[in-house]
């Protein structure tokens, strides 16, 4: 199998991730729910994971690191903590349904989409500057498009938000573990991300970084192992947002994934993924009828690459490639807004996404299979 769908889930992981999960199943009880060794071991692993994530993602303290079940869970907490009925919100033209569906579910929210020219950081920043005004209650922006691998001007957008006193929510689903992420440098109110993509952790894990001074609204209420007499959720983090038993095998695996990222280094990972993405784009562009859709400037790209093949339905081609053992994502990728921005809403795209474990031979095999066409 050639797996090139890491923007959905990093299937290939360092072996120590599974090893850590098995050890947690055998050795960890619930953190904060006992004073015996198995509970203490769980608390130690959970805190180590918070510490590692705080360092990697630019949080001031481990307590600002909240464990969630995925990025969607994290973004729901962030959005519902800041956005109320009738509020005005500014978002990018590349947002995932985790953002747009959540906003639409809040009554009468005014959603302003800030997008300049396609893959144009300066243009995007200019539109954000026009859209953010005194009535804006929040700005929400993905760091990297999950469809096109386009890196948005998040530093400039963060600067605008700080200058104008508007809270910023960053979706780092496609950047954490690959690009520098810093909640503190951005001054972000919240940064949400999954554990199972660039961080190489298991599915069912996610992270919400809560900025200084934020009092998030819990989505779940229940036991936390703290302030048990209090019938309200604790006012302090992370307990305020972590009702119920923790996913200790997931947290242990996530810690192992983050430790792998720290050893390899995000710069080295990004360089590897860009190099293979560029290699794939070059080979695909030699196939008649294939159009690669990505930023022209190399510094605006990651290892996510979308393309379309003229006269071929992307879903059909995706199925044909899957029959040959090549795993891609076909369709709209849960991000119709991004396809509206790029003009691919009617066709969708085929998306190949690279991981630290992807090889040159694998991307060459994909290019050769696309060149051969769906019937061969």
């Amino acid at each position: 199998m050639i797996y090139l769908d890491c923007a959905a889930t990093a299937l290939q992981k360092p072996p120590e991730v599974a090893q850590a999960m098995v050890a947690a199943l055998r050795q960890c009880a619930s953190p904060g729910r006992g004073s015996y060794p198995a509970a203490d071991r769980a608390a130690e692993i959970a805190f180590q994971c918070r510490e590692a994530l705080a360092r990697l993602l630019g949080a001031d303290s481990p307590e600002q690191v909240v464990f969630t079940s995925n990025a969607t869970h994290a973004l729901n907490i962030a959005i519902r903590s800041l956005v109320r009925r009738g509020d005005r919100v500014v978002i990018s033209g590349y947002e995932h349904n985790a953002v747009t569906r959540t906003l639409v579910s809040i009554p009468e929210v005014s959603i302003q989409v800030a997008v300049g020219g396609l893959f144009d950081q300066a243009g995007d920043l200019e539109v954000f500057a026009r859209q953010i005004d005194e009535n804006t209650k929040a700005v929400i922006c993905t760091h990297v498009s999950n469809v096109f691998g386009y890196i948005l001007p998040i530093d400039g957008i963060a600067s605008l938000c700080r200058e104008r006193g508007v809270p910023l929510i960053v979706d780092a689903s496609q950047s954490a573990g690959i690009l520098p992420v810093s909640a503190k440098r951005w001054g972000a109110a919240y940064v949400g991300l999954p554990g199972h993509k660039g961080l190489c952790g298991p599915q069912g894990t996610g992270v919400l970084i809560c900025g200084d001074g934020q009092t998030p609204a819990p989505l779940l209420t229940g036991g936390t192992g703290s302030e048990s007499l209090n019938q309200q959720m604790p006012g302090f983090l992370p307990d305020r947002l972590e009702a119920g038993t923790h996913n200790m095998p997931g947290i242990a695996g996530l810690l192992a994934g983050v430790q792998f990222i720290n050893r390899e280094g995000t710069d080295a990972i990004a360089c590897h993924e860009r190099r293979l993405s560029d290699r794939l784009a070059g080979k695909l562009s030699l196939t008649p009828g294939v159009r690669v859709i990505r930023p022209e400037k190399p510094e605006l790209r990651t290892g996510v690459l979308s393309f379309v093949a003229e006269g071929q339905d992307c879903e059909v081609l995706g199925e044909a490639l899957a029959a040959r053992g090549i795993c891609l994502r076909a369709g709209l990728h849960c991000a119709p807004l991004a396809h509206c921005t790029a003009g691919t809403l009617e066709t969708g795209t085929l998306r190949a996404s690279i991981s630290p474990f992807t090889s040159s031979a694998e991307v060459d095999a994909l290019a050769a299979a696309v060149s051969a066409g769906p019937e061969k």
Side-chain angles (χ1 to χ4, degrees), residues 4 12 19 28 35 40 43 106 118 139 158 180 189 198 200 222-223 227 235 238 250 261 277 305 320 349 354 370:
L4 294 168
Q12 299 148 318
Q19 293 164 6
C28 290
S35 56
D40 291 343
I106 302 172
L118 184 61
V139 170
C200 294
E227 294 190 354
I261 298 299
S277 178
L305 179 72
T349 62
I354 313 298
V370 172

Side-chain angles (χ1 to χ4, degrees), residues 79-246:
I79 291 168
R80 295 182 189 281
S81 295
L82 294 178
V83 181
R84 300 288 182 267
R85 176 190 286 268
D87 281 351
R88 184 180 189 275
V89 179
V90 179
I91 67 173
S92 83
Y94 300 90
E95 297 308 308
H96 190 277
N97 280 345
V99 168
T100 56
R101 283 181 173 173
T102 306
L103 287 172
V104 168
S105 75
I106 302 172
E108 301 172 24
V109 168
S110 172
I111 304 171
Q112 306 298 311
V113 180
V115 59
L118 184 61
F119 310 142
D120 177 4
Q121 279 196 343
D124 287 342
L125 193 57
E126 181 181 336
V127 178
F128 267 99
R130 290 201 306 266
Q131 294 275 22
I132 301 171
D133 61 22
E134 65 276 8
N135 296 315
T136 304
K137 299 301 182 183
V139 170
I140 308 171
C141 187
T142 187
H143 191 180
V144 175
S145 167
N146 74 304
V147 181
F148 303 108
Y150 165 53
I151 302 171
L152 279 83
I154 198 68
D155 287 326
I157 293 166
S159 179
L160 284 171
C161 290
R162 291 194 304 271
E163 291 170 4
R164 302 180 187 189
V166 177
L168 171 66
I169 298 171
V170 179
D171 177 358
S173 294
Q174 300 297 332
S175 59
I178 302 164
L179 300 177
V181 171
S182 179
K184 183 176 182 179
R185 186 182 77 246
W186 295 333
Y190 297 100
V191 179
L193 56 131
H196 64 99
K197 297 186 183 183
L199 297 183
C200 294
Q203 289 117 312
T205 60
V207 178
L208 179 66
I209 305 296
C210 301
D212 290 334
Q214 298 301 318
T215 305
L219 285 183
L220 295 175
T221 56
T224 60
S226 59
E227 294 190 354
S228 293
L229 281 175
N230 182 4
Q231 292 305 288
Q232 303 297 319
M233 289 298 287
F236 57 89
L237 295 171
D239 294 40
R240 182 169 178 77
L241 299 177
E242 292 184 358
T245 302
H246 290 77

